[in-house]
Structure formats: structure tokens, C-alpha cells
Amino acid sequence: MKLSLKKFETDVTVPTEVLEQITKLCRRFPVLGSLPKSAIQLLDEAMVDARLNGESSLTKASVEKIASEKTGVPMQRLSQDDRQILKNLPEVLQNKIIGQNNGLTKM
């Protein structure tokens, strides 16, 4: 992939942990596209959003908001740790799948 970088002025600071979050989200949700293009696009959209809202620093929450809009996954689910999701998976499945408790416990 050939990238052409254009110089532009911005007052938005991007902390390292936000860049790591962008990469994590792009790996977790393939619907965003393939790396590195998806990460660059997500970063670009988040920076534009931050600038339009008058924010001087990009936050994980603002990146998750953009990712949520693009994937359709609620923001609170994006910010949960994968271990916590897996820990609660049996309960969630039992609430969603009615009458299959025996099969779910075997799984």
C-alpha cells in the first residue's frame, strides 16, 4: 500500500495509549478493514471529531465512539476487557437462548 502523507495543522494531541487502543480495536473488529489502513482511517476520523468538538487531546472514549458508530457495537462493549466478556458469557447466553441450559452447560 502506498501512502501519501499530506501536511496539515492540528491542535489535537494523540497519546500513545490511544494509538494502542486504535490498533486493538482494528484487530478486534475486522469489519473496520485491514491494518494499517483501518487504523489510519480510525485515527483520522477520531482526530477530525476531536477537532470539531474543540478537544485538544484525543481520548480512548472518543476513539471508541467512532469505532462504535462504524461497527454498530455499543460503546460500553468496546471498552470491556475480553476476559470480563468471557467470564459473563454463560449468563449472557442463558438469558438470550431460552430452553437450552443443558446444551449451554456442556459447551
Side-chain angles (χ1 to χ4, degrees):
M1 178 172 83
K2 187 176 181 181
L3 294 175
S4 65
L5 300 176
K6 297 179 183 178
K7 184 179 179 181
F8 64 96
E9 291 184 29
T10 181
D11 297 333
V12 179
T13 304
V14 183
T16 303
E17 60 268 7
V18 173
L19 293 174
E20 291 169 352
Q21 179 72 3
I22 289 171
T23 305
K24 180 181 174 183
L25 289 170
C26 289
R27 284 188 179 136
R28 184 172 174 192
F29 298 99
V31 71
L32 293 172
S34 60
L35 286 169
K37 186 177 180 180
S38 61
I40 294 167
Q41 288 176 336
L42 185 57
L43 173 63
D44 183 49
E45 289 181 38
M47 288 181 70
V48 168
D49 186 62
R51 187 163 188 192
L52 290 174
N53 291 321
E55 298 170 4
S56 61
S57 182
L58 197 58
T59 63
K60 287 183 178 184
S62 59
V63 169
E64 289 172 353
K65 176 184 160 233
I66 300 295
S68 176
E69 291 169 0
K70 293 177 76 93
T71 62
V73 176
M75 194 174 357
Q76 63 272 21
R77 288 194 180 183
L78 291 177
S79 59
Q80 285 182 341
D81 184 50
D82 289 335
R83 289 182 192 156
Q84 186 65 29
I85 292 170
L86 291 175
K87 181 180 175 184
N88 295 331
L89 188 59
E91 293 171 13
V92 171
L93 289 175
Q94 286 178 353
N95 290 333
K96 300 269 184 192
I97 303 172
I98 299 169
Q100 299 295 325
N101 291 345
N102 190 27
L104 289 172
T105 55
K106 288 182 180 180
M107 192 173 74

